Amino acid sequence: MNLFLRRSGRAALGGVVIGAVVLSIAELFAGLLIKMGESKGEPSPVLAVGGAFVDRTPLWLKNFAVDTFGTNDKKALFVGMALVLLGLCCAIGVLLAYRFRLALVALVVLVAVAAAAVLSRPNSGGIDVVPTLLGGFAGLWAMSRWRRRVVDGDDSTLGRPSRRAVLAYGGVTLVGAGLVAAGGRALGNASRRVAEARRAFVVPRVAAPVTAPAGASLGVPGVTPFVVPQKDFYRIDTALVVPQVDPSSWRLKVHGMVEHEIEIDWETLQSKPMREAMVTLMCVSNEVGGNLNGNAIWTGWPVRELLAEARPKPGADMVLSRSTDGFTAGTPLSALTDDRNALLAIGMNREPLTATHGFPVRLVVPGLYGYVSATKWVTDLKVTTYADDMGYWTPRGWSAKGPVKTSSRIDVPGDEDRIPRGAGGVVAVAGVAWAQHRGITGVQVRVNEGDWVDARLGTEANIDAWRQWVYEWHPKPGKYALSVRARDATGAWQTGEIANPDPDGSTGWHMIRVTID
């Protein structure tokens, strides 16, 4: 048994070497394609497979990933992919030592799956699959070399690769790693160009700057800032790697059910009269009490003015926005043409958007969850109907329209905190509440199963921004459950009925448990 394990271990290493060769060559040529501007899709087999997996992720698994890993869901996916790939390579290596033909078939199947994933990505063409095929051919070459020189060579017997041979040909892994680094550098050129363009861009001034009113921030330590810095703003999207969009090549096309098709470039957009809007964005995956939301000051051109130039035809009721990475969102046409501050945003908190948050241009639409409105790296607006088109998440089980629900959150104290009473026996219970495009008019806190008591609200900035709140609590020592609810401008209180995020947003009162010393 020990002899078998030693042989299998050395054989598995051979599979890892072969896998490294395949990926190194594929990623190198993928990087070169991108550098030369020949690729319009996703030529990297690793990213293509990951993207195809995300596109086909069932709703329950998507919810599990977000609930478990939050904004680290993509890192978790890459770790999982690496482990699966490592296991497959090891299996191919073992097959190579004992069943060569099966190993050959397994490698061909894996390359075929990767090629199919590449071709399935948005805007892909035949040239995008070339790096994967070249990687596959390199893998077959490495497999034959390993079989002939290590497994069948003079320094070992069949199925018993020697340690010396394994270490010698294991050096191929280092070569492969070097090629991957070279490919990464080629890919990095796009990132550097975009970073330079972002540094050179100055967010234009507007005629009517927006500021947070006095009293909007209550100054309670630990409460989420009223305006969230860009570096701390949440990120949820389907892009495994942040798209790097060079503003000089950016275009936005408006087409579909319009009287006049329009295409604008970066210079044209910058020439338009910009305005600022303070808007709280919300991810539909946010659990009750979750932090997948944030408030910011956005600078951009109102979408309604662009659509007014295109002149939507009668019967149109939806705009399908598309990102450069293929993501789509279906937004009610009315939400983009009424008087709300729906923007083609180019600035966030008076700074250029980061690539993570959609540089150079993204959509910001008050009152709607991001999955139906907040398209980053936006390049296409199709005026259409809900009967004819669906956004990315709708066929995956989410509702076609996503108005934000009235909700609230306790930021401080934290759940399960053990805290001393403050001066005079006061404990500040505080957080934020939101009901975008309706506004918050009241927040109440309940201790255990007692009566609901009014909290003090921060000053309202506008109906599209959240409000901070605080309740000065005078508890006695003991264990407590604290709950919060909010009321919007229609007079309706946030429901206490518990519902999961899918299909149209979570509901329920946020509750924490604390111990007062």
Side-chain angles (χ1 to χ4, degrees):
M1 176 61 72
N2 289 337
L3 178 60
F4 173 77
L5 292 177
R6 287 197 299 271
R7 294 174 181 173
S8 297
R10 295 178 185 180
L13 177 59
V16 174
V17 170
I18 293 167
V21 170
V22 173
L23 291 181
S24 298
I25 296 298
E27 294 299 320
L28 171 63
F29 282 96
L32 292 175
L33 276 184
I34 293 174
K35 181 179 180 180
M36 294 185 297
E38 297 296 330
S39 173
K40 302 300 182 183
E42 180 51 79
S44 164
V46 174
L47 298 183
V49 169
F53 177 81
V54 170
D55 287 351
R56 291 159 179 79
T57 299
L59 185 58
W60 66 268
L61 185 56
K62 184 262 184 188
N63 290 342
F64 171 80
V66 174
D67 294 346
T68 305
F69 303 108
T71 55
N72 293 314
D73 56 340
K74 296 174 181 63
K75 294 179 182 177
L77 175 60
F78 276 119
V79 171
M81 287 174 58
L83 293 175
V84 170
L85 183 59
L86 180 64
L88 291 173
C89 289
C90 289
I92 288 176
V94 173
L95 287 174
L96 178 60
Y98 300 104
R99 296 289 188 273
F100 177 74
R101 291 183 179 178
L102 284 180
L104 183 66
V105 170
L107 180 61
V108 171
V109 169
L110 285 179
V111 171
V113 169
V118 169
L119 291 174
S120 73
R121 306 316 297 150
N123 306 316
S124 66
I127 195 171
D128 292 309
V129 81
V130 170
T132 302
L133 298 180
L134 291 175
F137 286 125
L140 293 175
W141 172 83
M143 179 180 285
S144 65
R145 294 281 294 177
W146 185 273
R147 172 75 178 184
R148 185 170 64 253
R149 298 297 300 276
V150 177
V151 178
D152 292 337
D154 295 335
D155 53 2
S156 69
T157 58
L158 181 62
R160 297 177 60 185
S162 71
R163 181 178 300 177
R164 178 169 60 85
V166 168
L167 292 177
Y169 281 87
V172 176
T173 304
L174 298 177
V175 177
L179 292 174
V180 170
R185 286 193 296 271
L187 286 167
N189 287 338
S191 300
R192 287 194 292 271
R193 288 196 301 271
V194 172
E196 290 171 359
R198 181 180 180 272
R199 283 193 295 268
F201 173 58
V202 177
V203 177
R205 299 192 177 200
V206 299
V210 171
T211 58
S217 177
L218 295 174
V220 180
V223 173
T224 306
F226 182 71
V227 175
V228 179
Q230 191 165 184
K231 64 182 179 62
D232 299 327
F233 211 86
Y234 79 98
R235 177 205 169 189
I236 293 290
D237 52 57
T238 62
L240 290 182
V241 175
V242 176
Q244 303 295 321
V245 181
D246 189 339
S248 64
S249 62
W250 177 84
R251 300 288 188 278
L252 176 65
K253 182 178 181 180
V254 184
H255 62 108
M257 297 176 64
V258 294
E259 297 291 345
H260 176 54
E261 289 194 359
I262 296 175
E263 184 172 275
I264 63 173
D265 58 16
W266 180 238
E267 290 186 0
T268 302
L269 178 59
Q270 290 186 79
S271 70
K272 300 298 183 180
M274 297 288 163
R275 67 180 304 164
E276 287 184 348
M278 184 179 292
V279 179
T280 298
L281 297 188
M282 167 69 63
C283 178
V284 72
S285 297
N286 200 47
E287 296 279 358
V288 172
N291 61 358
L292 298 181
N293 55 0
N295 188 51
I297 297 173
W298 307 90
T299 303
W301 186 37
V303 183
R304 61 175 173 270
E305 295 183 16
L306 174 63
L307 291 176
E309 293 182 9
R311 300 195 301 275
K313 294 180 179 180
D317 60 6
M318 188 255 272
V319 174
L320 188 72
S321 57
R322 184 177 298 274
S323 165
T324 187
D325 69 340
F327 172 82
T328 56
T331 308
L333 178 61
S334 59
L336 297 176
T337 54
D338 61 16
D339 61 356
R340 77 183 73 194
N341 290 313
L343 301 177
L344 286 169
I346 59 175
M348 182 177 180
N349 296 334
R350 301 193 176 97
E351 300 174 346
L353 296 168
T354 62
T356 299
H357 292 300
F359 183 80
V361 187
R362 67 169 297 162
L363 280 175
V364 172
V365 184
L368 301 176
Y369 288 115
Y371 81 105
V372 296
S373 65
T375 303
K376 295 186 278 191
W377 318 289
V378 62
T379 59
D380 189 275
L381 298 178
K382 178 184 179 183
V383 180
T384 180
T385 68
Y386 280 101
D388 294 330
D389 284 294
M390 292 188 293
Y392 180 93
W393 286 112
T394 303
R396 291 166 172 82
W398 296 85
S399 63
K401 301 177 182 179
V404 174
K405 297 178 179 179
T406 303
S407 193
S408 53
R409 179 179 74 222
I410 301 173
D411 284 343
V412 291
D415 191 27
E416 302 297 340
D417 274 0
R418 178 180 289 273
I419 54 179
R421 289 185 295 171
V426 177
V427 173
V429 182
V432 289
W434 56 89
Q436 288 92 311
H437 213 55
R438 297 185 303 282
I440 292 292
T441 58
V443 170
Q444 291 184 335
V445 174
R446 185 174 67 177
V447 179
N448 295 331
E449 296 299 322
D451 294 334
W452 289 99
V453 181
D454 289 337
R456 178 165 56 90
L457 292 174
T459 305
E460 183 179 62
N462 61 65
I463 61 173
D464 295 326
W466 61 16
R467 296 183 74 172
Q468 290 189 358
W469 58 268
V470 62
Y471 170 59
E472 284 85 10
W473 181 33
H474 298 262
K476 296 179 180 179
K479 296 181 180 295
Y480 297 92
L482 303 174
S483 304
V484 63
R485 68 177 184 176
R487 181 184 63 218
D488 64 28
T490 69
W493 284 99
Q494 169 188 346
T495 179
E497 182 179 351
I498 298 175
N500 292 325
D502 58 286
D504 58 1
S506 64
T507 61
W509 299 322
H510 185 210
M511 184 187 75
I512 64 170
R513 298 184 185 278
V514 298
T515 300
I516 305 298
D517 289 336

